[in-house]
Amino acid sequence: RASIDPSGATPAAENSVNDPNPDTSVPEILYVLIESADELRVVFNEGLDALTGELVEAEVGLLQNGNFVALEYNLLNAIWEASAPKELYLSFDGGFAPPLIYTLRLQGVADCWGNSAVNIQGNFAVPETAQPRDLVINELLSNPRATGIDFVEIYNRSPRNISLQGWQLARESGGQPESAKIITELPLVLLSGDYVYLSTSAAIVKAEYPIANENKGLDMASFPSYNNDDGIVLLIAPDESVMDRLVYNPEMQYPLLNSSDGVSLERVNPDVESSIETNWHSASGTAGYATPGLRNSQYAESPSISGSLQTSPEVFSPDNDGYEDVVQIAYALNAPGFTGSITIYDQAGRLVRRLVQQELLGGEGIFIWDGINENRTKSGMGIYILFLEAFDPSGNVIQLRTTTVLGHQL
């Protein structure tokens, strides 16, 4: 670092930039943003060393059963600029497409202290159009302790990955939105099944509630002013439609609490309407009276509706030699009445084949793919993603993903 001594140097004396409390933590990824069809902007929690753009190694992949499966993407360019030291721009030779959730894995990322991160990861996805009740208010703290601040947690209960850009938090007065505040101007995507808690300082929330997942906190430039005891919270989509509405009052808190100061209201079941007061409960004392960025301490799930998707063999070779020329795709659902589709993508997220379209599915079954794509030609060797989406008349949705490998016989 350049000397900050007025003389410009400190010969035979302690360096002017000496820090008695050096940073020993490696950089962490805060967000991975899709800038264009093949470019990512990676935002870190601290400034990076100027050589990071030259030394960084990057992989794009998918997580399968918790394991990172690399896609055949090549890093074309990495740009770090001193004007934005916490950001890194990466461009690849492959594109991105919904509904896949990608994982970016980096090595060779170092901060100004030389702390180098190994295999740090961040997830990202192409945003999809939000439907009613996709995003819901999941937790509210409107009556913080003297040292705390308000926060509102949002949960993505849908199978879609949704950008928070242009969404607003507001209160309601006289039946109209009031004091509406933009959540973020960045194209931050809230992934399916993920949480984000909103406040003016995630660090203060973390200090008040050590259990909080600070990586799920998002600082807003300004925050609506909510009454401590009763009021109405609105979650507003970019098109100005109200996507969720919570009316809260003191009676919703657990009656045996000595004080409700600093005790959040948690949504019990994200699938039950916000307007049902019994679907809200005080956060538990064992959890520290709030769970920002985490599953609620009072969470209770709906009866399970799930399934499985498997392929056999793991590698198939459609060369018509009579040996593993096709891949069998076996599904199993634990409830009847689902209509489903199976779509196949290549490792770059491009559509390869609409194998099944809006068919009434049984409790279990098998479909077969022979490697032929939509153009009626044989697909090339590589990893393919199989995506099953099914829904029933009640609006329940199941999304299942798995992979298969198209190879050839040696």
Side-chain angles (χ1 to χ4, degrees), residues 26-27 42 48 66 82 87 165 169 192 198 226 244-245 257 268 283 288 331 339 349 356 375 403:
V26 300
V42 190
L48 304 181
E87 299 183 0
Q165 188 176 40
L169 270 186
S192 173
L198 311 170
Y226 295 115
D244 202 11
R245 178 177 184 267
L257 287 171
V268 176
Y331 73 88
T339 298
V356 179
N375 297 324
T403 58

Side-chain angles (χ1 to χ4, degrees), residues 68-120:
F68 180 84
V69 179
L71 302 177
E72 294 180 1
Y73 285 27
N74 294 308
L75 178 64
L76 300 178
N77 201 14
I79 299 174
W80 176 91
E81 295 180 347
S83 59
K86 295 183 179 182
E87 299 183 0
L88 189 64
Y89 287 82
L90 305 174
S91 57
F92 296 87
D93 61 358
F96 313 110
L100 301 177
I101 297 176
Y102 299 89
T103 297
L104 175 70
R105 187 162 71 176
L106 301 178
Q107 297 189 64
V109 175
D111 61 16
C112 298
W113 289 94
N115 301 306
S116 183
V118 178
N119 287 341
I120 55 171

